[in-house]
Amino acid sequence: MMESSTRTLLCGDLFTQGGPGTTPLTESDILEPSEAFRGAMDYYSHSPDTGAILERLATERPTTLACMHGSAWRGDGAALLRALAARLAADRRRRTKEAEALAA
């Protein structure tokens, strides 16, 4: 969901960060903490359409990402969404290779 007048994307669990979340709004990196959290819990759906969905969100050009868990983030939201899509695509490729190796 996008609030268009402030360019705020209500992004739920896309950039979940663990910890106390004492900083309400940050311009610091949230992708790496989010990826560390996702790596430990792996709560994403891993849909083949994830990249396209994230690209659609990126085209909205959000400047604030309101995260459900952790700090909200301010900056180039389109770039951060595309960086997340790239990380998820790389993870998907890795998982596919691992599955193929197990099947061989």
Side-chain angles (χ1 to χ4, degrees), residues 8-45:
T8 299
L9 175 65
L10 305 173
C11 59
D13 288 331
L14 285 179
F15 295 98
T16 294
Q17 309 132 60
T22 57
T23 305
L25 180 65
T26 186
E27 294 178 357
S28 299
D29 178 43
I30 62 169
L31 180 59
E32 291 307 318
S34 173
E35 284 296 281
F37 196 78
R38 183 180 67 85
M41 298 187 67
D42 196 23
Y43 51 86
Y44 273 49
S45 67

Side-chain angles (χ1 to χ4, degrees), residues 62-97:
T63 57
T64 302
L65 302 178
C67 305
M68 183 179 291
H69 305 286
S71 300
W73 180 85
R74 182 174 33 216
D76 183 350
L80 191 59
L81 287 161
R82 289 179 177 123
L84 175 61
R87 293 290 288 271
L88 293 173
D91 191 45
R92 184 176 177 82
R93 287 189 298 273
R94 179 187 55 79
R95 287 172 181 267
T96 299
K97 285 182 182 181

